[in-house]
Amino acid sequence: MRLLSYLLDGEPRYGAAVEGGVVDLTKRIGRDYSDVKALIAANALADAKEAVAGQKPDYALDKLVLLPPVLAPEKLWCIGVNYAERNAEYKDNSDLPKYPSLFVRSMSSMTGSGQPLEKPKVSEQLDYEGELVIVIGQGGRHIPREKAWAHIFGMTLCNEGTIRDWLRHGKFNVTQGKNFDRSGSIGPWIVTADELDPRGPHDIITRVNGEVRQQDTTERLMFPFDFIISYLSTFATLKPGDMIVTGTPTGAGARFDPPRWLKVGDVVEVESSRIGVLRNTVAAEQ
């Protein structure tokens, strides 16, 4: 199932993407589950499937303003330096990491598929990072690695947009450069784990104006999904609807010589063949 969130007459709603459009779940089961996060928390995927079965689309997908699929996750974790060769891109002669790098983003830094990515007034260094996202279904603490797969509700995509010069404002953190309003995106929908085995393998590709900039597969992750879930849950309780952005391959704009920063009008596409395409156009901050 492909679950998504969107605006209708200025109000957030949610539904299922089907052939020919979107079935509105808000009007069918919204009295029981207010949004995608509530549906996940209630373990109510079966109810959503029943509500969609035999229904014709209520809306054309291209007529909707898409939002990130989970509107208010308690946690939006981001894993850094997770694909082979990513550590070498830093050219600091460091050993491969024993543990994943980790930072958090606010949802105000994210927008939905088809919506503008915002190039801020204060920097020319807006960069792209195409990534796969795992969405937590069943929550938990101290989750054993061998049981981690059962805690994944589904997967989506992220352009983990970054303001590179602002990453270096702090001595020990990257938070500023990772949290500019509307600098990244998540979507277009969550593909549920019953239709998309999180074990993969999963491909990931990023294009800018049609040019392939990043391409890799989860077979080359240094910290696989099950390890990440077990590791994070060691110190923090994972909650239904939490999203974990799992790392970007080599080839971000900062790694070119000279760097290739995103410009107003550029189109960024992040794609995985079993999920779909997350597409955004860069716009200037107003």
Side-chain angles (χ1 to χ4, degrees):
M1 195 170 203
R2 297 180 296 172
L3 294 169
L4 71 169
S5 298
Y6 52 93
L7 288 177
L8 184 67
D9 297 328
E11 296 294 328
R13 300 176 75 89
Y14 73 104
V18 298
E19 185 176 355
V22 174
V23 174
D24 189 336
L25 290 173
T26 309
K27 70 180 183 181
R28 289 181 170 83
I29 57 173
R31 64 187 181 281
D32 299 312
Y33 318 111
S34 58
D35 55 18
V36 171
K37 180 180 173 181
L39 184 77
I40 295 172
N43 192 25
L45 182 59
D47 289 352
K49 287 185 174 183
E50 183 179 354
V52 169
Q55 298 292 334
K56 294 181 179 179
D58 296 295
Y59 313 111
L61 181 63
D62 60 3
K63 301 300 183 183
L64 297 176
V65 175
L66 298 188
L67 303 169
V70 180
L71 299 181
E74 182 178 279
K75 294 178 283 293
L76 175 55
W77 301 107
C78 297
I79 306 297
V81 193
N82 198 15
Y83 282 84
E85 286 87 52
R86 276 286 284 123
N87 195 61
E89 279 192 316
Y90 286 87
K91 300 179 180 179
D92 57 4
N93 298 314
S94 63
D95 294 332
L96 291 176
K98 293 181 180 180
Y99 305 106
S101 299
L102 178 67
F103 54 92
V104 296
R105 290 188 70 137
S106 67
M107 284 305 293
S108 63
S109 74
M110 294 292 178
T111 190
S113 185
Q115 308 314 306
L117 287 180
E118 194 167 277
K119 179 185 176 298
K121 298 176 180 178
V122 298
S123 175
E124 295 298 319
Q125 296 187 16
L126 172 61
D127 205 352
Y128 54 86
E129 294 191 9
E131 311 197 24
L132 294 158
V133 181
I134 48 180
V135 181
I136 296 298
Q138 178 188 350
R141 179 85 191 277
H142 297 294
I143 298 169
R145 187 170 177 179
E146 63 271 18
K147 295 184 179 180
W149 299 110
H151 290 260
I152 298 177
F153 177 79
M155 294 178 60
T156 186
L157 299 167
C158 178
N159 176 7
E160 208 264 295
T162 300
I163 312 304
R164 293 290 178 193
D165 49 344
W166 280 68
L167 292 181
R168 298 184 291 274
H169 279 199
K171 184 175 182 180
F172 295 116
N173 65 284
V174 298
T175 303
Q176 299 94 312
K178 295 290 189 177
N179 280 279
F180 273 70
D181 286 353
R182 296 170 292 280
S183 57
S185 58
I186 297 179
W189 42 60
I190 299 168
V191 181
T192 54
D194 60 322
E195 296 187 5
L196 174 72
D197 188 348
R199 292 172 177 83
H202 299 285
D203 60 323
I204 182 75
I205 185 169
T206 307
R207 293 182 292 268
V208 179
N209 301 326
E211 177 191 0
V212 173
R213 298 282 185 87
Q214 297 179 292
Q215 189 167 12
D216 219 319
T217 171
T218 52
E219 293 175 302
R220 286 163 41 81
L221 286 174
M222 290 187 285
F223 303 106
F225 296 169
D226 55 339
F227 178 91
I228 292 170
I229 289 173
S230 181
Y231 179 77
L232 293 179
S233 71
T234 303
F235 59 85
T237 301
L238 297 181
K239 300 289 185 67
D242 283 353
M243 292 190 284
I244 305 170
V245 185
T246 59
T248 199
T250 58
R255 305 306 168 190
F256 288 86
D257 186 15
R260 302 176 71 177
W261 309 121
L262 292 173
K263 306 180 297 298
V264 172
D266 283 349
V267 177
V268 185
E269 296 174 306
V270 179
E271 180 174 5
S272 185
S273 57
R274 296 168 65 194
I275 300 174
V277 180
L278 169 68
R279 181 181 294 106
N280 301 89
T281 300
V282 178
E285 179 187 358
Q286 299 300 310

